[in-house]
Amino acid sequence: MNKQRKTLVKAEIDGLRALRKAMRAEPMTAEALAKKLEAVKARIVALHDEEQDAFEKMSEKQQCSTAGEIAEECVALFEDAIDYMDELVMDVKDSEELDFSEIGYSMEDVIDLLSDIINM
């Protein structure tokens, strides 16, 4: 993971934390929250795609090295974060009444995955 992508991942973490804080301060509609979460997911997908491309551009020798293994693990963590975001968006869209505590916990799961990426 290059420095630029790490900076972008940190920005997504900060954005999710800010969104979680804003949810608590001023509850929003499910539709508004789903749109914000979909935007975050789209940015995470873009970061995943960049990391996947970087891994694929490595030589076979580099892919088998420590750097390649780290890149591959980052890709897997991005995929997990995307899956969590998919579930979160679906839960928000399908809910009749938003449980902001539960949503906050799910957002924290995504934050933890993104933090793991930064710490690799």
Side-chain angles (χ1 to χ4, degrees), residues 76-91:
L77 288 169
F78 274 124
E79 289 169 355
D80 290 344
I82 292 164
D83 289 344
Y84 274 63
M85 289 300 297
D86 279 336
E87 289 176 30
L88 184 54
V89 169
M90 292 289 251
D91 289 347

Side-chain angles (χ1 to χ4, degrees), residues 87-104:
E87 289 176 30
L88 184 54
V89 169
M90 292 289 251
D91 289 347
V92 168
K93 285 182 174 181
D94 292 344
S95 66
E96 292 181 21
E97 187 174 324
L98 293 177
D99 180 349
F100 291 106
S101 295
E102 188 65 34
I103 294 166

Side-chain angles (χ1 to χ4, degrees), residues 41-102:
K41 179 189 155 211
R43 292 189 298 269
I44 293 171
V45 168
L47 289 166
H48 164 271
D49 293 349
E50 288 177 24
E51 189 67 18
Q52 180 70 42
D53 288 346
F55 175 76
E56 289 173 0
K57 288 179 183 175
M58 290 179 171
S59 69
E60 194 170 317
K61 185 176 180 179
Q62 287 174 316
Q63 287 180 351
C64 294
S65 71
T66 301
E69 290 173 11
I70 290 170
E72 197 168 28
E73 181 64 25
C74 286
V75 169
L77 288 169
F78 274 124
E79 289 169 355
D80 290 344
I82 292 164
D83 289 344
Y84 274 63
M85 289 300 297
D86 279 336
E87 289 176 30
L88 184 54
V89 169
M90 292 289 251
D91 289 347
V92 168
K93 285 182 174 181
D94 292 344
S95 66
E96 292 181 21
E97 187 174 324
L98 293 177
D99 180 349
F100 291 106
S101 295
E102 188 65 34

